[in-house]
Amino acid sequence: MGIHEIANPGASTPFGAGRDPARVVAFSDSVIAIAITLLVLEIRPPHDTSHLLHSLAALWPSYLTYVVTFMLVGQVWANHHIMFDHIRSADRVVLFLNTVLLMDIAFLPFATAVLAEAFRDGHGQRTAVVLQGTAFWFMDLLFNIIWWYACRDRRLIATNIDSAGVAAISRRFRLALAWLATGTLLGLLLPPLGVAVIAAFIPYYWLPIGGEIAKWSAP
């Protein structure tokens, strides 16, 4: 029997016992840290050191995809904290959805390596951009599902965020779906443009969200 079941024996509870989300956040931080570190391992040192400067410059697709993906994963980390700052309890559905989210994040180093290789070789760029963009889009879809589930009937979110704050976070997450889908679809037509649109996602989504800071009541 969970903590919430003991404290409120007559109240309806989420699916499974409610748990402190702190362990969810700690585990997520660990997976994100590993995934973001693996990105740099996909940048292979050049074999030809007789023209080292030229060989290093030829790795520009790896540098570009590394920076874009690293900054996007950094956004995932920041927005994951924003989301779980307001989730007071994690049931089994949240645990499952967050696990799938982490699975997608762990896939990103592979998708990034594929994208860099495609731009170096000049072949398969459309497929590579769609693969990377789809991974980003699915990641944001899971953000939206977790947030929607937690906010439904306000069963799992904290009481110190008002409806305006909930709506502001929801709008930011939903906009990301359209933004990333646009970049992915444009990548089918013109791969560099698709990457540029996805990269343009970075500066905007580092901006603060109105209402993201919880309003603590005076003791």
Side-chain angles (χ1 to χ4, degrees):
M1 185 177 294
I3 295 173
H4 298 293
E5 294 173 297
I6 295 173
N8 302 288
S12 61
T13 58
F15 179 71
R19 295 170 175 83
D20 185 343
R23 291 187 64 186
V24 178
V25 173
F27 177 63
S28 301
D29 283 351
S30 299
V31 173
I32 292 171
I34 293 170
I36 210 168
T37 302
L38 290 176
L39 288 172
V40 75
L41 299 181
E42 297 300 331
I43 304 178
R44 308 293 183 184
H47 297 292
D48 181 14
T49 56
S50 59
H51 301 88
L52 186 57
L53 183 60
H54 178 270
S55 298
L56 287 171
L59 293 176
W60 69 265
S62 293
Y63 306 145
L64 175 63
T65 55
Y66 167 75
V67 170
V68 171
T69 306
F70 194 102
M71 294 305 295
L72 281 169
V73 175
Q75 285 181 342
V76 169
W77 172 77
N79 284 292
H80 191 272
H81 274 274
I82 290 169
M83 181 165 61
F84 276 89
D85 281 348
H86 303 301
I87 295 178
R88 61 174 172 78
S89 181
D91 65 6
R92 285 183 177 272
V93 174
V94 172
L95 295 179
F96 171 75
L97 291 172
N98 193 74
T99 299
V100 179
L101 172 64
L102 295 177
M103 180 176 67
D104 186 87
I105 293 170
F107 177 78
L108 288 176
F110 170 75
T112 302
V114 170
L115 183 61
E117 191 69 24
F119 273 97
R120 273 197 302 270
D121 294 344
H123 303 289
Q125 295 175 358
R126 289 180 174 83
T127 301
V129 173
V130 170
L131 176 68
Q132 180 84 329
T134 301
F136 287 144
W137 184 88
F138 185 64
M139 185 170 55
D140 189 67
L141 176 64
L142 287 162
F143 260 87
N144 277 272
I145 294 173
I146 293 170
W147 183 243
W148 169 82
Y149 178 79
C151 293
R152 190 178 61 171
D153 300 326
R154 299 188 65 98
R155 296 179 308 157
L156 299 178
I157 62 172
T159 58
N160 51 19
I161 180 172
D162 57 22
S163 57
V166 171
I169 294 173
S170 299
R171 282 194 301 270
R172 180 71 65 90
F173 288 175
R174 286 196 302 267
L175 178 59
L177 284 174
W179 196 320
L180 293 172
T182 300
T184 302
L185 293 174
L186 287 174
L188 278 173
L189 303 174
L190 189 60
L193 179 60
V195 173
V197 171
I198 292 173
F201 181 83
I202 295 171
Y204 176 74
Y205 271 78
W206 274 109
L207 296 175
I209 305 172
E212 71 179 53
I213 304 298
K215 297 178 180 178
W216 299 99
S217 59

